[in-house]
Amino acid sequence: MIWYISVIDFFILILVLLNAYFGIRKWRESKININLFLMIFFIALIFTAFRQLLFGLGIFLDVFFGENLSINGIISLIILLVPIQFLLYLKEWKRYYYLPLIFAFYSLYNLYFVPDNTIFRVSSIVLGAIAFTILIFNGIRRRNGVSISIGFIFLYGLAYSETLTLLTGAISRLIGVLVLLLGTSGILDKFVLIDDEKEEKIKNTWIAKMVK
């Protein structure tokens, strides 16, 4: 493994840990269940980032079951399906809440019993691309930085595609977790997705208090 790939992976791990910190803080402030659910997502990211760093150091950390099912595969499923569940929650599509669970069972079955995991890979990429694109556009429309940033995590998953080189994969992972950090830390909401109407109301309230 090229040394600078390991350096990038180290920074990715730091960024993922920061994401987890802001995610925990956000949940403690809001006590919203979906934010607690996202903790599973952050734990999965920490695992993959740590595993990738070890892999760069020549340490392979994984356990396989059946044909293609592995710990890393299960973690990858979590990274894919938790944001989709988050999307369904945001859109209040309650009748579809069970779909990620169905896809999870299908994927686990496919990976365990089927030697060729091409169908799983293709379906995951297509499903992820659609869901994460919706998350980004939904976040822009609703001025929700977390939604946008979680949408960009698709780049993190795409980095493990066999079509990418080591460097482009590392850069893709780095961009994914960096944008995620901008969302979880509140930077996107505060400095990018400025609600002009809300700002105007605050300004008018401040002026009214000054007049009194």
Side-chain angles (χ1 to χ4, degrees), residues 108-122:
L108 293 174
Y109 176 86
N110 183 276
L111 289 172
Y112 189 86
F113 291 104
V114 181
D116 186 4
N117 62 357
T118 302
I119 296 178
F120 166 73
R121 286 180 175 272
V122 173

Side-chain angles (χ1 to χ4, degrees), residues 141-155:
R141 186 170 62 86
R142 295 192 176 188
R143 300 181 185 277
N144 187 322
V146 175
S147 177
I148 294 174
S149 61
I150 291 179
F152 271 91
I153 208 63
F154 179 67
L155 292 175

Side-chain angles (χ1 to χ4, degrees), residues 112-170:
Y112 189 86
F113 291 104
V114 181
D116 186 4
N117 62 357
T118 302
I119 296 178
F120 166 73
R121 286 180 175 272
V122 173
S123 59
S124 297
I125 292 175
V126 172
L127 181 63
I130 294 173
F132 294 136
T133 300
I134 295 175
L135 271 171
I136 292 173
F137 280 101
N138 180 76
I140 294 174
R141 186 170 62 86
R142 295 192 176 188
R143 300 181 185 277
N144 187 322
V146 175
S147 177
I148 294 174
S149 61
I150 291 179
F152 271 91
I153 208 63
F154 179 67
L155 292 175
Y156 187 92
L158 191 63
Y160 293 96
S161 171
E162 297 176 355
T163 60
L164 298 183
T165 65
L166 289 176
L167 180 58
T168 54

Side-chain angles (χ1 to χ4, degrees), residues 9-22:
D9 285 328
F10 175 76
F11 279 109
I12 289 173
L13 178 59
I14 298 300
L15 291 174
V16 169
L17 290 172
L18 286 173
N19 272 298
Y21 165 75
F22 284 114

Side-chain angles (χ1 to χ4, degrees), residues 12 15-16 19 22 41-42 45 132 135-136 140 144-156 171-189 192-193:
I12 289 173
L15 291 174
V16 169
N19 272 298
F22 284 114
F41 173 70
F42 291 126
L45 283 180
F132 294 136
L135 271 171
I136 292 173
I140 294 174
N144 187 322
V146 175
S147 177
I148 294 174
S149 61
I150 291 179
F152 271 91
I153 208 63
F154 179 67
L155 292 175
Y156 187 92
I171 293 175
S172 182
R173 291 195 302 274
L174 180 61
I175 293 174
V177 295
L178 183 58
V179 176
L180 182 63
L181 181 61
L182 294 177
T184 56
S185 63
I187 292 177
L188 283 179
D189 289 328
V192 180
L193 303 172

Side-chain angles (χ1 to χ4, degrees), residues 37 40 68-70 73-85 88 96-113 119-121 123-124 127:
F37 195 55
I40 302 174
N68 284 297
L69 182 61
S70 65
I74 295 173
I75 296 298
S76 298
L77 264 178
I78 293 174
I79 294 175
L80 171 67
L81 296 179
V82 169
I84 293 176
Q85 190 69 53
L88 297 175
Y96 302 116
Y97 278 3
Y98 59 87
L99 288 182
L101 187 61
I102 292 177
F103 185 80
F105 276 114
Y106 155 75
S107 300
L108 293 174
Y109 176 86
N110 183 276
L111 289 172
Y112 189 86
F113 291 104
I119 296 178
F120 166 73
R121 286 180 175 272
S123 59
S124 297
L127 181 63

